[in-house]
Amino acid sequence: MSLNTTFERVALPLDHPFTISRETTKTAENVVVRIDDGEHTGIGAAAPSQYYGETPDTVEAVLPDLLSIVEQADDPLNRNAIEREIAARVGDNPAAKAAISIALCDLVGKRLDLPLYRLFGFDPDRTITSSFTVGLDATDVMAEKARTAVADGYSVLKTKLGTDRDEEIVAAVRDAAPEARIRVDANEAWTPREAVEMSEMLADHDIEFLEQPLPATNPEGLRFVHERSAVPIALDESCVTLTDVPRVADRADIIVIKLMKCAGPLEAIKMINAARAHGLDVMLGCMVETNAAIAAACHLTPLVDYADLDGSLLLADDPYDGIPMPGGVIDLSTVERPGTGAE
């Protein structure tokens, strides 16, 4: 059965500018991939990050070569063989690979008339609640965003830090959302001693965990912080691919897995299994991306402890519908559409 493939670049304006310690995003550019077998169309998307060496331009440049492998495949259900050949052809470009992996998973689910979680055999009754992210802004604006998110039904918040007023921000957000579960993300902004000192303040405000306090280039500093922190440590930028999991196991309590970092759902499952083997908890995260990508990650949530899959909620308008997430609650038992559920 021959497969036809296409891709297109889409510009997705954000509802509000989204700021972290190292950058501000006003428009997210994703590259949407479609794989068609003549009867069904699988949809996936790449949300590249320049931090990891990818841009929409690099994704568009490499996709024709990678999609030619898909078009030549005898059996689209043999995703492992296809992804192995893709990995052999191109060493990096994980977001481009993720778009293809997601589209293949979606196509197979549609051909078999099964939601992705059923295709993988995951328990749909194991629900999880995604956090809603409060990006950096004026302190009073961040507090108001937190208050609004809670009023909209979100019970878990993630607050970005990495400023000279981080203590003020944490206190204001906690005051605005006294009953919420709150986790924070410094996006590599602190020094080891700052992180240890800040962890005491975070514990005083009942913060769930601290994500990526130091640069990934400082592994010894991360070990220092992990050994002394008053709150659990999650690592995102330090844990990109499968081989990173054992490397960070002695300096983290939680690893953050993103399909755009690791090249798709099949690789993410390997990372989850490796994390469990090393006694680590797992959070599924995302970039600022369309539901054409995030929907696939939602189907993996029965395997993990935390989710941060709100990337599409930050968009002014997402052209794709995905997995319902009222108040951040991901309940796969309500999902009936086959494949990833994106359409």
Side-chain angles (χ1 to χ4, degrees):
M1 175 181 291
S2 63
L3 298 174
N4 295 312
T5 66
T6 59
F7 64 89
E8 67 170 331
R9 185 165 170 170
V10 294
L12 304 167
L14 274 63
D15 200 18
H16 302 282
F18 181 68
T19 300
I20 65 174
S21 63
R22 58 175 175 259
E23 63 186 356
T24 295
T25 301
K26 296 181 179 179
T27 300
E29 288 194 288
N30 287 193
V31 181
V32 178
V33 167
R34 294 179 179 84
I35 303 174
D36 186 275
D37 67 1
E39 186 178 355
H40 305 96
T41 301
I43 303 169
S49 168
Q50 193 160 13
Y51 177 91
Y52 297 107
E54 266 188 297
T55 66
D57 287 340
T58 66
V59 171
E60 288 187 308
V62 77
L63 275 177
D65 192 25
L66 300 185
L67 288 172
S68 69
I69 295 171
V70 176
E71 291 177 348
Q72 295 162 16
D74 293 329
D75 181 8
L77 275 70
N78 192 352
R79 291 162 291 159
N80 278 305
I82 295 171
E83 293 193 18
R84 228 178 10 250
E85 189 169 348
I86 285 173
R89 183 77 60 89
V90 176
D92 296 315
N93 300 94
K97 294 175 183 175
I100 295 172
S101 179
I102 293 166
L104 280 170
C105 286
D106 190 39
L107 176 62
V108 170
K110 287 173 177 173
R111 289 182 63 174
L112 299 178
D113 196 28
L114 291 173
L116 193 57
Y117 75 84
R118 288 199 62 200
L119 193 65
F120 286 142
F122 299 155
D123 179 7
D125 293 326
R126 193 174 184 276
T127 61
I128 198 164
T129 301
S130 171
S131 56
F132 182 87
T133 304
V134 178
L136 287 175
D137 210 319
T139 303
D140 60 337
V141 173
M142 293 179 70
E144 185 56 33
K145 287 181 179 179
R147 191 176 292 110
T148 299
V150 170
D152 289 342
Y154 293 94
S155 61
V156 185
L157 305 178
K158 184 166 97 166
T159 302
K160 293 292 187 176
L161 298 178
T163 72
D164 57 4
R165 52 191 169 85
D166 285 340
E167 292 189 46
E168 176 187 320
I169 290 170
V170 171
V173 170
R174 171 51 79 197
D175 186 59
E179 303 301 321
R181 288 166 53 197
I182 300 176
R183 54 198 63 155
V184 300
D185 183 1
N187 286 111
E188 305 185 292
W190 297 339
T191 67
R193 295 204 176 275
E194 282 175 339
V196 173
E197 291 174 6
M198 292 296 286
S199 77
E200 299 288 346
M201 179 273 296
L202 297 176
D204 288 342
H205 288 284
D206 193 26
I207 299 303
E208 193 172 28
F209 58 80
L210 164 60
E211 186 176 340
Q212 200 67 43
L214 314 185
T217 52
N218 188 357
E220 290 308 312
L222 286 166
R223 181 185 286 110
F224 175 90
V225 173
H226 179 242
E227 290 173 350
R228 295 163 177 80
S229 177
V231 296
I233 299 297
L235 294 183
D236 177 4
E237 288 90 339
S238 294
C239 191
V240 181
T241 64
L242 178 62
T243 56
D244 291 324
V245 177
R247 292 175 186 152
V248 303
D250 65 346
R251 63 205 68 175
D253 303 284
I254 305 157
I255 62 165
V256 182
I257 298 174
K258 296 177 179 176
L259 302 192
M260 297 302 138
K261 292 192 302 182
C262 72
L266 301 186
E267 199 66 17
I269 292 169
K270 294 178 187 177
M271 289 186 71
I272 293 167
N273 290 334
R276 298 311 189 196
H278 285 86
L280 296 165
D281 284 350
V282 176
M283 180 164 76
L284 271 176
C286 64
M287 306 301 184
V288 180
E289 58 195 59
T290 170
N291 274 306
I294 287 180
C298 289
H299 287 267
L300 306 185
T301 54
L303 297 183
V304 304
D305 308 284
Y306 311 99
D308 179 30
L309 296 175
D310 65 339
S312 66
L313 301 178
L314 303 177
L315 301 175
D317 183 33
D318 189 347
Y320 290 90
D321 189 19
I323 302 300
M325 207 183 299
V329 178
I330 302 169
D331 183 0
L332 295 178
S333 68
T334 66
V335 176
E336 297 180 354
R337 289 202 297 259
T340 66
E343 61 177 20

